[in-house]
Amino acid sequence: MSCYYCEKPATGMEHVPPQSFFIKGQRDGLISVPSCDVHNQQKSKDDEYVRAVLLSSAKLDGKEQLAPLFEVHLRALNRAGEQIPGRLKSEEDFQKFLEIAEKFKDDHAAGMKSFSELAQAGIGTGLLGLLSVDYRDEVIFDNDGNEQQTISYAFDTKRFNNFFKSMAKGLFFHESDWAWLGKVVLLPHSFLREEASEDEKFISKHYSSQLVRDDAKGEHKDVFYYDVGTELDSSGKEILRYVVNFCLYDTFEFTALLESKYFVASPEPR
């Protein structure tokens, strides 16, 4: 078997999306594709990071069906926090830790702000540090219309986008049984920049409207559903692009465009 991503010899199977994105006990019928080590085991930290970014979003507030995943997410963050003392390598690190703890002791978001500053001070904070980069205070409204103080943070866009491009390649392989080796254009609809142009907003709306939950594929649609289709040229004979639409947690929508002009032929027969 060949890897879904690069066509090198596969050494195992990878779930698309990762199995950890789903609730334990609700993991039947998951998609799996052949993968090499680089595009499976060695990206497990990316799986954890992206899952943490999504489950930390205020957009998921009120989704009680995801409660078991929130519990797993909180345990992962707690484990990361418990590991901090072991990462203080010197008296200077320890004093910095105490200084930062005192600085934020009365802050509503003391934990995440502390981890951010510890990371900036060069003290390893693992997942918590990654989830608190460039934080800023925010006020949001909960489902009852009450103001809630929170923070927002920047995430690693390149890492985030590469993860979902890989996921799109996996879904394409699952549907077509061949690897897309060319460029993937990712449209992260739920993360569209505020300064996006009107053309970008139009394109995003055009593709996001194509994914209809009831018609889409997926065994556990509270967590994930998808569809793969094609767009033809004006003659109706030539494929312009393959369109991979998918949604996570019934909230975060993405489209991946596999344009024919970016097609790369396999260097050798499969």
Side-chain angles (χ1 to χ4, degrees), residues 66-235:
L66 299 179
L69 289 174
F70 293 138
E71 292 174 7
V72 171
H73 174 55
L74 289 175
R75 286 200 298 270
L77 295 183
N78 287 335
R79 283 196 303 272
E82 291 166 357
Q83 293 169 1
I84 298 298
R87 292 174 173 165
L88 303 177
K89 303 301 184 183
S90 64
E91 179 64 23
E92 182 181 357
D93 284 352
F94 183 70
Q95 291 302 320
K96 187 66 176 179
F97 176 80
L98 294 179
E99 175 188 322
I100 292 171
E102 177 66 21
K103 177 180 178 181
F104 294 115
K105 66 179 182 179
D106 297 321
D107 196 288
H108 67 279
M112 299 307 282
K113 291 182 178 181
S114 297
F115 294 125
S116 178
E117 297 220 0
L118 286 168
Q120 291 177 44
I123 298 172
T125 53
L127 183 61
L128 285 166
L130 292 172
L131 290 178
S132 53
V133 177
D134 295 336
Y135 67 81
R136 64 182 182 184
D137 290 297
E138 303 279 3
V139 175
I140 63 173
F141 293 90
D142 62 22
N143 292 332
D144 297 321
N146 301 312
E147 284 190 3
Q148 299 288 338
Q149 289 185 312
T150 186
I151 62 171
S152 63
Y153 58 88
F155 57 84
D156 187 334
T157 304
K158 182 177 180 180
R159 187 177 184 183
F160 196 73
N161 288 348
N162 285 342
F163 174 90
F164 288 111
K165 287 179 181 180
S166 295
M167 202 169 122
K169 284 191 171 190
L171 293 172
F172 180 78
F173 184 96
H174 175 69
E175 292 293 320
S176 67
D177 199 35
W178 57 280
W180 179 264
L181 301 178
K183 178 179 176 181
V184 176
V185 178
L186 183 71
L187 306 177
H189 307 301
S190 301
F191 298 89
L192 191 66
R193 299 173 296 111
E194 291 183 2
E195 64 272 23
S197 68
E198 290 304 313
D199 284 345
E200 288 173 321
K201 292 176 182 177
F202 176 82
I203 292 171
S204 178
K205 184 176 180 180
H206 168 73
Y207 284 109
S208 64
S209 66
Q210 292 183 7
L211 185 61
V212 180
R213 189 184 196 273
D214 290 344
D215 299 333
K217 300 178 181 179
E219 294 292 325
H220 308 282
K221 291 185 178 179
D222 284 342
V223 173
F224 172 71
Y225 53 91
Y226 77 101
D227 199 5
V228 178
T230 57
E231 289 185 343
L232 305 179
D233 66 6
S234 57
S235 71

Side-chain angles (χ1 to χ4, degrees), residues 36 120 163 203 244 246 248 269-270:
C36 65
Q120 291 177 44
F163 174 90
I203 292 171
V244 184
F246 53 97
L248 282 161
R270 289 183 57 196

